[in-house]
Every structure is written in C-alpha cells, then in structure tokens.
Amino acid sequence: MLKGIGIILVVIGHIYSNQTIFNWLYSFHMPLFFLAAGWVYKEKTVLADIKRRIQTIVIPYFSFGFLVLIYWQLMERRFRDSDMSFMDSLFGLFSGCYDNLEFNIHLWFLPCFFVTVILFNILVNLGGRRMAYLVSALMSLAFIVVPMHGLIWGIDRVFKYIGFYAVGVFIAGKSVKAVKKKVEAGIVAIVLLALSFSLSCYHLTMGIMWFVTALIGVAAVILISQLINENRILQYFGRISLIILCIHGPVYRIVVKIVSILLNLGTDAVRENFLLAMVVVVITMAICSTAYEVVVRLAPWMVGKKKVKEN
C-alpha cells in the first residue's frame, strides 16, 4: 500500500508542473519508499542478501537502463536540447551518477537503494540491529553536516536516506495494528498532511528539518494507508512500482506530447493544467501496467522475478 501510494506521488510529481506541489511531494515521497522497504526487512547472510538484491535491483536497473538509453539515443535525444554524449550516458548508467543519468534521471534510485539495503544488512550482520540503527543515524547526521555530491552508485544519497530505512526496520519490530478509531486517525492524517505542506511551502526542508518534514509526511501516508486498509489498485501499483519507476519517464513525455498535439497546446500548458496532468498520470500508469504484464510473461528476470515452471 505504501509503495503504491508512493509511486503514484512520484509520477504526479514528475508530470504536474506546479512548483508548490513539487516541493511538497519531494519533501517526503522518496523517504516513504525507503521506510516502506525497511518495514519488510528480513536479516540474511551478506552473500545471500547481495545475490537476492542483484536479482531484484541490479539486473532490472541495467535491463531497463540499456533499453531507455537506446531509445533516448535513437529517438528522444534528437528532440531535446541535450549535449550529453552516448558514452557519457553509458558512464552514468554504470556509475549510477545522478548528473550523467539525463536519459532517465529517475534511475538514480535503484543503485542508491541497492547500496542502502546491502549496507544496512552488513551492519546488522556485524553488530546487530542496534549498531545498524546507530550507524544509520550517524550517517544521516553526517549528511547534514558534510556536503556530499555526485558519488558513484548514489553513495552520497545513501547517507540521506538510510536513516529512513532504519526507521522502517524499527517500526517493523513493533506491533502496528490497523487503526480502529478511523475518525480520529483521519483528523490526525489531515493535520499531518497540512503541517507537512506548510513546512514545505516555507522551505523548512533543509538540515535537520529535512528529516522532520519528511517523517511528518510519511507518518500521514502511513495513517492513510491504514485507514484504506486494503485496495487492490494501490497494492498492485506497489507490486509493480519497479517497472513504473524505470519507464514512466519516457512514457509520460510521449503521452504529454500526444495530448499537446491533439489539443493544440504546448507541452508546458498540458503539464501546468491539473486536470490534463492527471489524465496523463492515469494513461502513464496504465501503459506501465500493460508493460509489466508483458515483461513478467516474456522476460520476468527484467523485473527481478524467476520464470514460473509450467507443469
């Protein structure tokens, strides 16, 4: 549920060109993914975890990365003001450096996520969860104090997000039940969302306030997911969030262009109009869902799954 809500917010944030909404969503939607991943963390031996994460993160990253890079080089790059060469883009794919992923900037998440989950599990294996919590907290503090930028495989961003992953692991160790007092929980969720929105509007998202604002927004989404409890659409989007993350960039840009041609509007006008932007979001999610169903049947390894043996 959390991943489903999170990936919808990611797509909305990338499509709808409203700076206020953009700032608000970006104040918490990526921390939400790391916290949700930590929530389902299970300790494994280091080698077993690395093997599994290569299958579920690294292989999909390179698979979709190469496909989108080829599409970008042959098609989309011709229509964009980009001076990044193919070799620079290829370097970006292998290094995971944010500044070289212009062809599909959203891919930065996967190498960063890979390093985060592998590192946390190594820490747990070395000194237990308490040590992992402590090191994660210290890394988050270091991110605030020490400027970091452009390290390979998103290591600089690992410092930024590992604290949220640790919070998710910590929450998973507690008894979290579905809320019974729905009215009260709904009011709290609305208050938290309003507070999160206000803090982002006043740009209180720097330094230690980055973590405070993010946790407030994430807490609101957790409450909302508990209030909804079950929703097949959100759960489905959560399960296929990987492929949505990997391909929604080029998909939505094509959809925006088609809509702009049909309505005789500029692409910026389409993205600035809330209703039209939401139409693009719906179409993009539908295309990504269709792509997932095709890929999972023809090449499941691309989305980190093994081929199901037929009897």
Side-chain angles (χ1 to χ4, degrees):
M1 286 286 291
L2 290 177
K3 286 169 65 181
I5 294 172
I7 198 64
I8 291 173
L9 295 180
V10 166
V11 176
I12 291 174
H14 290 157
I15 293 174
Y16 183 39
S17 290
N18 181 292
Q19 195 61 45
T20 301
I21 298 299
F22 178 89
N23 291 340
W24 177 47
L25 294 180
Y26 271 73
S27 72
F28 70 88
H29 73 353
M30 294 318 299
L32 173 65
F33 271 102
F34 283 90
L35 187 142
W39 203 320
V40 294
Y41 167 75
K42 290 181 176 62
E43 182 180 348
K44 290 182 173 63
T45 63
V46 173
L47 290 179
D49 189 50
I50 291 175
K51 181 180 178 181
R52 175 173 174 268
R53 300 299 185 177
I54 288 175
Q55 177 192 339
T56 59
I57 301 174
V58 177
I59 291 177
Y61 169 72
F62 281 111
S63 299
F64 289 106
F66 275 121
L67 282 178
V68 176
L69 175 56
I70 292 169
Y71 157 76
W72 168 268
Q73 193 68 23
L74 295 179
M75 299 287 293
E76 191 169 346
R77 186 170 177 267
R78 300 181 180 185
F79 305 101
R80 295 194 170 272
D81 184 21
S82 173
D83 57 359
M84 186 168 290
S85 69
F86 176 77
M87 293 306 297
D88 285 338
S89 297
L90 197 62
F91 169 77
L93 182 63
F94 279 96
S95 68
C97 287
Y98 185 90
D99 293 339
N100 289 82
L101 286 171
E102 181 181 325
F103 66 95
N104 194 0
I105 198 69
H106 314 131
L107 286 176
W108 72 263
F109 173 82
L110 292 178
C112 172
F113 183 65
F114 175 78
V115 175
T116 300
V117 296
I118 290 297
L119 175 59
F120 189 88
N121 189 64
I122 290 173
L123 292 171
V124 171
N125 274 264
L126 289 175
R129 295 198 177 194
R130 287 187 178 182
M131 182 182 131
Y133 294 147
L134 176 61
V135 174
S136 298
L138 290 174
M139 288 178 68
S140 295
L141 289 173
F143 169 77
I144 297 173
V145 177
V146 183
M148 301 180 197
H149 180 70
L151 299 179
I152 62 170
W153 275 65
I155 292 175
D156 51 319
R157 291 167 182 259
V158 172
F159 281 78
K160 185 176 183 179
Y161 292 111
I162 194 169
F164 296 104
Y165 188 81
V167 171
V169 177
F170 179 78
I171 291 175
K174 307 300 175 183
S175 178
V176 181
K177 299 179 180 178
V179 293
K180 294 182 179 179
K181 298 181 179 180
K182 294 185 179 295
V183 175
E184 290 87 342
I187 293 173
V188 172
I190 291 172
V191 170
L192 290 174
L193 284 176
L195 180 57
S196 167
F197 184 76
S198 299
L199 290 171
S200 68
C201 284
Y202 286 100
H203 305 290
L204 296 174
T205 55
M206 302 297 289
I208 193 66
M209 284 305 297
W210 149 250
F211 296 96
V212 174
T213 304
L215 286 173
I216 290 172
V218 170
V221 178
I222 290 173
L223 271 176
I224 291 169
S225 68
Q226 288 184 311
L227 287 168
I228 297 172
N229 195 19
E230 288 187 11
N231 181 284
R232 290 184 178 180
I233 295 176
L234 291 177
Q235 290 169 320
Y236 175 73
F237 285 150
R239 287 195 298 272
I240 71 168
S241 58
L242 174 69
I243 195 170
I244 296 174
L245 175 77
C246 289
I247 69 171
H248 79 278
V251 169
Y252 84 69
R253 290 192 292 271
I254 293 171
V255 175
V256 166
K257 187 63 179 178
I258 292 173
V259 171
S260 70
I261 293 172
L262 292 175
L263 298 179
N264 195 27
L265 294 171
T267 54
D268 289 340
V270 172
R271 297 180 63 182
E272 290 168 0
N273 182 292
F274 176 76
L275 290 178
L276 290 178
M278 292 308 104
V279 169
V280 174
V281 168
V282 171
I283 296 172
T284 298
M285 298 296 280
I287 293 173
C288 290
S289 301
T290 303
Y292 173 83
E293 296 301 331
V294 172
V295 171
V296 81
R297 286 167 173 76
L298 299 180
W301 52 270
M302 290 184 69
V303 287
K305 296 184 180 297
K306 295 180 179 179
K307 191 174 183 63
V308 178
K309 295 181 180 179
E310 298 180 3
N311 294 328

